[in-house]
Amino acid sequence: MALDLIKATALILALSLLQGFNSRFWGERHAARAIGSGLIFGVMCVVGMMMPITLTPGVIFDGRSAVLSMAALFGGPAVGAIAGAVAAAYRLHLGGGGALVGVGVITVSVLLGLLMRVLVRSGKVTPGFLSFLGLGVVVHVVALLFFLGLPGETAKRVFEMLALPYLLTLAPATALLGMLLLDLDERQRTGKALRDSEARMRAITEAVPDVLMVLDEDGRYLKIRAPDEKLLVADAESLSGKLMTDVLPPEKAAMFQDYVRRTLQSDSAQMLEYTLDTQGGPRVFEARARALDAPFEGRRAVVLLTRDITDRVRLEEEQRIAAIAFESQQGMMITDAYSVILRVNKAFTAITGFSAEEAIGQRTSLLASGRHDTAFYRAMWSKLHADGVWEGEIWNRRRNGEVYPERLSISAVRNADGMVTHYVAAFMDITFSKAAEDEIRRLAFYDALTGLPNRRLLSDRLGQAMASTSRTSRHGALMFIDLDDFKNVNDLLGHHNGDLLLQKAGARLRDIVRETDTVARFGGDEFVVLLADLPEHSIDAAQQAERVAEAMLAALNRPYVLDGQTRQTSASIGIAMFSGSTHSIDEMLRRADLSMYESKQRGKNRLHFFDPVMQETVTARLRLEDEIRTGLATRQFCVHYQAQVENGRGIVSAEALARWRHPEKGFIPPVQFIPVAERAGLMPALGLQVMEDALEQLARWARKPETAHLSVAINISAAQLYQSEFADSVLEAITRTGAPPGKVVLELTESILLGDVDGAIDVMQRLRARGIRFSIDDFGTGYSSLAYLQSLPINELKIDRSFVRNLPASEGNLAIVRAVVALASALGVKVIAEGVETEDERNALAGNGCQFFQGYLFARPLPADEFEGLLREDLQRTR
């Protein structure tokens, strides 16, 4: 019977090895590991109960008490509960009279194991063989006590036949099982600590930027870690396990073997500097090695850290070379960190004229030419501080005051802490090479005849302009210009006169464009003009390009004097607009060229846009100009009158406004035709026609008692005011129409008075002497100067509609109205507000001293007969 207990116990101890496999399998997954342990211990109990010692039917003995107490001790409550539940379930399944006793033994074994766990964790009991043996004795004594609950004869047989073998077998088995599990637990903790240590060491070594190698005493690569494998002679995997003699040149292998031997024989780190042909090319390294205290894979070995110092060595070599070259043909000087000159060479004196005695102790500003601004030096020092070097061309001054160009190179010298201690400057006089460079550049990029950029330089600038428009969303224009019938000049007057004409034509083109634009000659009689930085809006850009092209046509049409003969030639211009780099440079040149040929086919002496949309816009505007001319010739323009009201009196005057009654399009708004008429130079004719119609109407009103009190305000453009015959034309029209001069008010905007204030005052004084009054229109939107405003012979100020809008809610506009009224009062002139549309605006104006109004609140601009009807209604209301 004792032998059966020993066999069962041995089987349980063997099965306990599964706990080690379970711990390794689940690792850090604690919940899964606990469930697995509980099941393993439970299965061990089941196996024990499958080979029991049976005294009487239903009463069995096995090693489950030892297993369960150790399961609870080492696994904790969860493991103990799972193992106990499995064991209890199987014991109940077996049944018999001892089933309940068996479940009791199972329960108390788990509880005693948990109690032992608490004592161990609190430090009151130290885990070991004796403590485990004690637990085994207690568990199995208590288990025997449970058997006292069996019927008397059965209990007696238990104690007589099995008690002593039970205790002597299972108590030591419990201790052995505990020691086995304790060993497994300690191995697990040791393995985890080892893995954590390796992880920390791996992180430390991977953070080191140097190459790390472990070499044995024979020079064999045992371990390699490299942040960049280009620093190795081959990849790390292929090197591992090989001898240095197998992969390195013989002399390098011998050097390293000697280095390893010296390191193994020394108690301190050994240094070595060497060069090696790596996968990334020849590099210079600095190695630091130390012998390992313990054998590595059974061999004496060293750990070696090697650092790439190629850049540092190269810099040291350059400094040594610089020291040797100090007395070279280049000018050299050394300064401290504050640019105070410490040393110069003979070439310095030869180039600058300053002797060593004169230069040493002075700052480098001694050589400043004054040609560079602070931004240049700021950028130079910024790069020098950032990179440690600066190189470029600079203008300096010699001792005799002569300014000369030099090629200058400055290097910063730093100490071990990285602080700049000195600067080394080397320079050479490049006066002659600069002149030669300029000549080469001129020959390479400029036309020899005209001095204008050639095709090569234009292409470069066009590429830059296209890239710039991509960033800024602005536009550019490329113009291809061909002189019409230029061949006749060469044939009739000779090629020397043809060359002279080309030079003059190029000069005229250059005078028209801005400095930022480019005029180039492509050869023959072809010129190309590049306009950059045109407006963002495509229509505005096209119009600006068109104005420049028209100015070019006019300039090229002026006569040329060639050998005492006067010749005249026109030109054809093709324009290609661009914004961005959608098309290539050659494509843009082709477009401009095609547009130029289109100009020639349409009759020469004209311009043509490549872009169909822009061409249509320009054509439409030109068509509108022609229609305006036709309208002026056929009297399509008429005058409408808008009432001007005095507070409390009603309509006292009217403003004459031009309206265009187109025979096909109906009424065309002034906003569409006024800008076109101004640009086409048609405003004087249009203004004169409006003035004559308004004066004739004023004369008719003056002859009627009900309208005799009316004044008429007529707008005057800048083009009219500055005409030499303007005053005469006004007086002649007044005389011819019979209009009363005292009822005529000429309205001028502030901006047109900026051109020639004195000239404008002379004209106004002459007309005012005949009784004509003047009004400043849109007051406050221009650039009024009180210095000349008080000298102008004006009778009224008109507050611009932008200051009337949103009254009285807008405090800013209200303040401006008060200021204008106060200014008018000081000048002794009346104030009229235009654009009045609501009663609130009218009341706010009246409340702040403005008594004259004009706007849609009172009436829209009306034809003369409708205006008279409005006036009659107004007279009836005010009577």
Side-chain angles (χ1 to χ4, degrees), residues 441-442 444-447 451-465 518-522 530 585:
R441 177 178 174 80
R442 189 186 67 79
F445 294 103
Y446 291 87
D447 175 54
L452 298 174
N454 59 16
R455 184 186 187 111
R456 181 178 180 183
L457 182 54
L458 175 78
S459 297
D460 180 67
R461 292 184 180 177
L462 176 57
Q464 294 179 22
T518 300
V519 178
R521 180 180 176 230
F522 265 32
L530 171 63
I585 293 173

Side-chain angles (χ1 to χ4, degrees), residues 13 62 183 243 257 284 287 337 362 387 467 502 533 656-657 724 760 801:
L13 291 175
D62 54 67
D183 181 64
L243 292 170
Q257 286 179 322
V284 182
Q362 299 291 326
D387 302 338
L502 292 172
D533 200 30
L657 299 168
S724 59
R801 69 183 69 238

